[in-house]
Amino acid sequence: MRILFNSKDTQFKEPFGTLVPGQECTLRIHIPATVQAAKVDCVILAEDHSPVMTVPMGYQFKKGAYEQFCGKFCFEKPGLYFYGFQIATKTGGFDLYKYGNDTNMEAGDLWQMTCVPADFHTPEWSLGAVFYQVFPDRFHKAGKCDLTGKLEPYTVHENWNEEVYWKPTAEGLVLNNDFYGGNFRGIQEKLPYIASLGTTILYLNPISKSFSSHRYDTGDYKTPDPMLGTMADFTALCNAAHALGIKVILDGVYSHTGSDSLYFDKKRNFGGNGAYNSQNSPYYDWYTFKQWPNSYAAWWDFDTLPTVKKMSPSFIEYIITGKDSVLEHWIKAGADGFRLDVADELPNEFMDILKKHLRKLKPDALLIGEVWEDASNKVAYGIRRRYFVDGTLDSVMNYPFRTAIINFLRERDDGRGLENAVMTIAENYPREVLLSNMNLLGTHDTPRILTALVDDFEGSREALAKRKLSQQQYLVAIERLFMAACLQYTLPGSPSLYYGDEAAMEGGKDPFNRRPYPWGSENQTLVEFFRALGRLRKEQEPLRLGDIQFFHAGDQRLGYTRTYGGKTVKVYVNRGCDTWDIPSGRLLLGHNLRTVAPNWLTISPMGVCILEEE
């Protein structure tokens, strides 16, 4: 017999999930009577493992072969905490106890508990939203843009369907300076299509004037890239999106700039007043020079991306606090928030200043962070990140869900791993953050989801350029994508659709995941399935706001409920080789599904079913 405690089950820990200061938490632990427990304590430690408190766990009763001990406590202030149980026996022994396959552990033997500020709230419009992510150059073009001031050299593809350019220069550099001409007016023209997918948030990769097509090498924070259009074009896009009930968020790239920029100006394209040209430059103290001007700190050692000192007063003023700061500039132009690139490279203090000032500019602005791991306990560069305990991020990019979904569909997990991954995030994140999370399957930084579901090839760029899924791979990937989409749109959070994934685009890592949208060549069956999922989320509050509970995870099958406001939606996913017979309800959406009796449905292999419980 084993000692029993499950932090995800309210019979052992109540309430489920995170706490706020002053909120009472009740812990219960079931200990076999044969252990002869004489004294039980819950030992709570701070994030650095220093003692915080010891909570006595009083004996309550004996039921069967178990004795139940219970303790109650509350935290005085927000923070990340860890805890375990110290059990003294009547024979004099004691142990600090950790049980089960729960992944909420520090140093392998403790559970995690998060206390967040009581006034920490995400924008209401971000709860259970649907994101559509656009890589601006590759989505759609309409009309022509004045290219005066476009950073050179660059090339423009004559044919929208040409392959992306991947070949290095004679010096071995990949410049990423081939463009297709996607622009603001093109995005605006396709807003009805974007809205038809149920989109409520449009997320744009960087739009500022830059040398490269990805535009993460910022040239001028406050000026749109000429190929995208003008500030007026951007504002028109925002206004048109808002008219359709769609918010617009931008990529905030504040860990580095481009070397070819107003601020660094290595090529003297901006007047020669950058830090590379003069130590008297107003931007000189943004950068770390090992030996001026040619030796400087750069992002991942790419000399085209000099890193900035985020806590430089002049940088903070320019980006956040000054008159017509970068934040204010784009918020006034129509943006509704920002996604922070490489958020773990931004100091906690910088994030705090940014969040507070952003909310002053726009009280319901949304702030999302690029975080690839569990953001509640993230450690980067030796520093614990305080995204939730300081209330700095409203949401993060939910890569843990993506990993779990792919592992399940690639037959690396029978379903129990996915359940654990989902419930771990649900436990560790504040509820509003959980519901605002970007539940993504693909992004500009990952292989296309269609490819990722069947192919792990990571060869050379030349090989990747030629690599296509076989017909058999394609058919398997499509069936798996139906299941992945069902999971993406029904698990807690906000599904984030990377442009073209709904059209069955394929491709490996960058730049082959950034091909132009295949207008006219979409897999329309898949597009319609994503549309149906988008409509379903609008109609069903439980899918946007509901709590989750798994009733089945294992044997290559998943079953869970989303419950809110007295309504319950049931979700079934059958990855296995056998059929799955289930009691029927009001059918909301299905794939590979058939009726076998008046009150029963059969989910075929690779099938999904979404029901409203009657």
Side-chain angles (χ1 to χ4, degrees):
M1 295 180 66
R2 296 181 293 182
I3 298 171
L4 302 180
F5 179 80
N6 182 354
S7 64
K8 299 178 179 68
D9 187 335
T10 54
Q11 72 169 311
F12 295 101
K13 175 181 172 290
E14 193 175 12
F16 173 79
T18 62
L19 303 170
V20 297
Q23 181 180 16
E24 185 175 77
C25 180
T26 301
L27 300 178
R28 302 179 185 90
I29 186 170
H30 299 173
I31 303 175
T34 54
V35 171
Q36 300 185 60
K39 186 175 185 295
V40 181
D41 292 317
C42 176
V43 180
I44 300 179
L45 308 175
E47 63 181 62
D48 63 357
H49 282 196
S50 61
V52 173
M53 69 176 86
T54 298
V55 180
M57 304 285 293
Y59 173 82
Q60 285 193 302
F61 55 79
K62 182 174 183 291
K63 184 177 181 180
Y66 283 91
E67 296 177 325
Q68 177 170 298
F69 294 78
C70 177
K72 299 182 179 184
F73 67 96
C74 64
F75 293 117
E76 295 182 359
K77 60 182 182 180
L80 183 66
Y81 301 92
F82 298 95
Y83 66 101
F85 297 100
Q86 194 170 56
I87 303 169
T89 67
K90 293 174 182 176
T91 58
F94 68 89
D95 191 19
L96 188 63
Y97 173 73
K98 174 74 178 73
Y99 164 78
N101 62 357
D102 187 331
T103 59
N104 299 354
M105 60 183 76
E106 181 78 355
D109 60 357
L110 299 174
W111 286 271
Q112 175 182 313
M113 196 178 302
T114 310
C115 183
V116 301
D119 60 354
F120 175 26
H121 298 291
T122 67
E124 187 173 350
W125 54 264
S126 72
L127 301 174
V130 175
F131 287 81
Y132 193 80
Q133 179 186 349
V134 165
F135 194 81
D137 182 60
R138 309 290 164 83
F139 185 62
H140 185 58
K141 63 180 177 181
K144 294 183 178 180
C145 296
D146 182 357
L147 298 185
T148 302
K150 175 65 186 162
L151 294 175
E152 297 179 343
Y154 63 87
T155 60
V156 180
H157 291 269
E158 294 183 4
N159 187 323
W160 182 259
N161 296 314
E162 286 179 358
E163 180 60 279
V164 293
Y165 195 78
W166 55 268
K167 295 180 180 178
T169 65
E171 295 76 27
L173 302 175
V174 178
L175 298 179
N176 296 301
N177 64 336
D178 63 313
F179 292 81
Y180 288 80
N183 55 17
F184 293 140
R185 280 177 282 174
I187 299 170
Q188 183 175 341
E189 191 174 279
K190 292 297 185 180
L191 278 176
Y193 168 76
I194 293 171
S196 77
L197 295 164
T199 303
T200 58
I201 300 176
L202 173 63
Y203 158 44
L204 301 179
N205 285 114
I207 62 173
S208 293
K209 182 176 181 177
S210 305
F211 173 79
S212 73
S213 57
H214 57 68
R215 300 187 174 100
Y216 282 95
D217 54 332
T218 308
D220 183 345
Y221 280 112
K222 297 180 183 180
T223 302
D225 193 278
M227 195 165 284
L228 290 173
T230 64
M231 285 297 295
D233 292 331
F234 173 74
T235 296
L237 168 60
C238 291
N239 291 340
H242 293 159
L244 292 173
I246 299 173
K247 303 287 188 180
V248 180
I249 65 167
L250 302 180
D251 231 320
V253 187
Y254 307 133
S255 66
H256 52 270
T257 69
S259 59
D260 191 3
S261 67
L262 172 65
Y263 320 103
F264 202 76
D265 207 8
K266 190 173 185 177
K267 295 184 178 181
R268 301 184 70 87
N269 282 323
F270 290 84
N273 197 32
Y276 185 86
N277 312 115
S278 171
Q279 290 177 294
N280 293 321
S281 166
Y283 313 112
Y284 181 80
D285 72 343
W286 291 16
Y287 302 97
T288 300
F289 287 96
K290 302 168 187 176
Q291 184 175 355
W292 181 82
N294 288 314
S295 180
Y296 49 87
W299 188 77
W300 284 35
D301 293 328
F302 291 110
D303 64 2
T304 56
L305 300 174
T307 52
V308 297
K309 300 175 185 175
K310 289 76 170 175
M311 296 308 295
S312 164
S314 63
F315 183 71
I316 289 176
E317 181 181 12
Y318 188 89
I319 298 294
I320 304 173
T321 61
K323 185 179 180 181
D324 192 35
S325 67
V326 172
L327 294 188
E328 183 173 358
H329 184 81
W330 291 106
I331 290 293
K332 283 185 174 180
D336 300 289
F338 296 86
R339 173 263 194 192
L340 297 178
D341 184 53
V342 290
D344 59 0
E345 297 184 16
L346 304 175
N348 291 326
E349 299 82 0
F350 179 90
M351 301 270 283
D352 187 56
I353 296 168
L354 191 153
K355 176 64 175 292
K356 288 176 179 176
H357 200 76
L358 178 62
R359 286 293 173 83
K360 287 180 181 178
L361 293 170
K362 188 177 180 66
D364 68 342
L366 179 67
L367 190 63
I368 301 172
E370 180 195 8
V371 182
W372 287 61
E373 304 84 8
D374 183 334
S376 70
N377 52 35
K378 170 79 174 182
V379 175
Y381 304 97
I383 298 173
R384 180 81 68 180
R385 304 301 171 173
R386 300 179 57 84
Y387 304 132
F388 304 150
V389 298
D390 284 348
T392 53
L393 287 180
D394 298 311
S395 165
V396 293
M397 302 181 77
N398 199 358
Y399 282 99
F401 277 21
R402 176 185 185 270
T403 301
I405 289 171
I406 291 175
N407 284 343
F408 173 64
L409 297 179
R410 292 290 304 271
E411 302 180 12
R412 300 163 180 162
D413 161 45
D414 69 354
R416 287 174 289 184
L418 188 145
E419 177 195 20
N420 190 62
V422 170
M423 296 310 297
T424 295
I425 295 296
E427 179 179 20
N428 288 355
Y429 287 24
R431 181 178 181 275
E432 292 182 26
V433 173
L434 175 69
L435 296 178
S436 301
N437 261 356
M438 290 178 69
N439 285 357
L440 51 91
L441 294 177
T443 74
H444 60 290
D445 287 326
T446 64
R448 285 281 175 179
I449 184 59
L450 194 72
T451 297
L453 286 171
V454 293
D455 190 13
D456 294 320
F457 182 75
E458 294 187 359
S460 67
R461 286 175 179 255
E462 182 176 12
L464 283 167
K466 298 175 182 177
R467 193 171 181 82
K468 303 291 183 184
L469 299 182
S470 69
Q471 182 65 18
Q472 180 60 32
Q473 283 181 313
Y474 180 85
L475 293 174
V476 171
I478 289 291
E479 289 300 303
R480 287 176 175 175
L481 187 48
F482 277 112
M483 293 186 286
C486 178
L487 291 165
Q488 179 187 27
Y489 277 68
T490 60
L491 289 171
S494 297
S496 180
L497 186 54
Y498 183 47
Y499 81 100
D501 278 351
E502 78 280 10
M505 287 182 69
E506 62 178 271
K509 63 184 179 181
D510 165 29
F512 307 106
N513 56 354
R514 303 174 182 180
R515 292 178 171 126
Y517 187 100
W519 298 108
S521 301
E522 305 93 326
N523 181 318
Q524 289 294 345
T525 302
L526 190 61
V527 170
E528 287 302 322
F529 189 72
F530 274 97
R531 282 190 175 126
L533 286 167
R535 288 193 298 269
L536 194 58
R537 285 186 65 87
K538 284 191 174 182
E539 296 165 359
Q540 294 290 334
E541 278 193 321
L543 293 181
R544 300 195 308 273
L545 305 173
D547 295 330
I548 186 169
Q549 184 173 351
F550 281 83
F551 58 83
H552 189 95
D555 305 320
Q556 306 177 65
R557 299 169 177 172
L558 291 168
Y560 51 91
T561 58
R562 299 289 308 282
T563 303
Y564 183 81
K567 290 181 62 178
T568 296
V569 171
K570 277 191 169 182
V571 181
Y572 300 82
V573 179
N574 181 19
R575 191 207 72 200
C577 299
D578 299 322
T579 57
W580 190 5
D581 294 334
I582 62 170
S584 63
R586 187 169 83 86
L587 179 63
L588 300 176
L589 190 65
H591 178 69
N592 290 338
L593 188 67
R594 57 191 172 91
T595 303
V596 292
N599 297 315
W600 287 88
L601 295 171
T602 292
I603 307 173
S604 299
M606 311 284 271
V608 299
C609 180
I610 306 174
L611 300 172
E612 183 177 359
E613 195 171 73
E614 295 178 334

